[in-house]
Amino acid sequence: MRIPSYHQFQEWRRLLAGMAIGALISWLIFLFIFGEWMEDYSMEIKLQEEEIQDLKKEKEIWQEDVEKINKENEEKLTIQKIEVKILNHERYKLDSYSVHEIEESAKEDIRTLLTQNIETAFKSRDLIKRTIENRTFKAHEKRYRLKIKEIVFYTTLTVQVELQFDK
């Protein structure tokens, strides 16, 4: 039996060698392109992770600042305005000027509560009640006392009172 010569299958060898070289070159190109993509994506992911960490730290700082400011504001909540409202002035047929005078006199009695902490004012509510209820007011030759119906403590101290004849 005779061994075939190399010269007979030269076209097949070229085809197979070309396919092998083409496969090798295309594999190298694929690896290069895929490697570049992965490098870009990994760099982008790393930058995003760093940005996320920075944003989380910034968020924590903001939350701490907001909590601190809220605590300070709660502590600084003070009475800024006092309102006294007489509920039953129509019953005694008082004019609006007399009602206004009585309301202003009652406001003057508790004026010391302005700019005080709401908590402090709330603790002294019995004193406020006694201060307003123990005073007599004079209008149209008659003497009146005030009876507190409701006190609301907030930045505006609202006191609702009713008139009664003084005994």
Side-chain angles (χ1 to χ4, degrees), residues 54-122:
D54 290 343
L55 290 174
K56 283 182 180 179
K57 289 177 184 175
E58 189 174 320
K59 177 185 161 192
E60 289 174 6
I61 291 170
W62 277 103
Q63 285 177 338
E64 289 172 3
D65 287 348
V66 166
E67 288 175 8
K68 187 186 300 180
I69 289 170
N70 284 343
K71 285 181 182 178
E72 288 175 5
N73 286 341
E74 284 178 14
E75 292 172 0
K76 292 181 180 178
L77 209 54
T78 60
I79 295 176
Q80 299 169 4
K81 185 177 175 185
I82 297 175
E83 290 181 3
V84 176
K85 178 72 175 151
I86 297 176
L87 300 175
N88 64 341
H89 60 87
E90 300 90 14
R91 179 178 172 195
Y92 297 99
K93 297 179 181 161
L94 291 176
D95 57 28
S96 60
Y97 179 72
S98 299
V99 171
H100 180 72
E101 276 187 348
I102 294 172
E103 287 176 350
E104 288 300 315
S105 295
K107 281 184 195 178
E108 280 300 317
D109 291 343
I110 57 175
R111 179 88 49 203
T112 58
L113 293 175
L114 279 176
T115 68
Q116 278 193 359
N117 189 342
I118 290 178
E119 185 178 350
T120 306
F122 181 76

Side-chain angles (χ1 to χ4, degrees), residues 17-162:
M19 288 174 65
I21 292 172
L24 182 65
I25 291 173
S26 64
W27 181 252
L28 291 174
I29 291 173
F30 170 75
L31 286 178
F32 176 75
I33 292 172
F34 186 73
E36 287 293 317
W37 282 351
M38 285 301 114
E39 187 177 335
D40 290 343
Y41 289 142
S42 64
M43 188 62 139
E44 185 177 337
I45 289 171
K46 183 154 182 79
L47 291 174
Q48 287 175 349
E49 286 175 350
E50 290 174 359
E51 186 176 351
I52 288 171
Q53 292 300 323
D54 290 343
L55 290 174
K56 283 182 180 179
K57 289 177 184 175
E58 189 174 320
K59 177 185 161 192
E60 289 174 6
I61 291 170
W62 277 103
Q63 285 177 338
E64 289 172 3
D65 287 348
V66 166
E67 288 175 8
K68 187 186 300 180
I69 289 170
N70 284 343
K71 285 181 182 178
E72 288 175 5
N73 286 341
E74 284 178 14
E75 292 172 0
K76 292 181 180 178
L77 209 54
T78 60
I79 295 176
Q80 299 169 4
K81 185 177 175 185
I82 297 175
E83 290 181 3
V84 176
K85 178 72 175 151
I86 297 176
L87 300 175
N88 64 341
H89 60 87
E90 300 90 14
R91 179 178 172 195
Y92 297 99
K93 297 179 181 161
L94 291 176
D95 57 28
S96 60
Y97 179 72
S98 299
V99 171
H100 180 72
E101 276 187 348
I102 294 172
E103 287 176 350
E104 288 300 315
S105 295
K107 281 184 195 178
E108 280 300 317
D109 291 343
I110 57 175
R111 179 88 49 203
T112 58
L113 293 175
L114 279 176
T115 68
Q116 278 193 359
N117 189 342
I118 290 178
E119 185 178 350
T120 306
F122 181 76
K123 288 178 183 176
S124 64
R125 66 187 176 276
D126 293 330
L127 181 63
I128 297 168
K129 188 174 181 178
R130 280 187 259 135
T131 302
I132 292 176
E133 289 183 351
N134 288 339
R135 181 147 182 252
T136 59
F137 300 93
K138 189 174 183 180
H140 300 295
E141 304 299 324
K142 295 179 185 172
R143 298 172 68 82
Y144 298 98
R145 281 191 183 272
L146 297 178
K147 179 157 176 64
I148 293 181
K149 288 297 176 183
E150 184 178 4
I151 300 177
V152 178
F153 292 92
Y154 199 59
T155 55
T156 299
L157 175 66
T158 306
V159 181
Q160 294 182 351
V161 296
E162 287 186 351

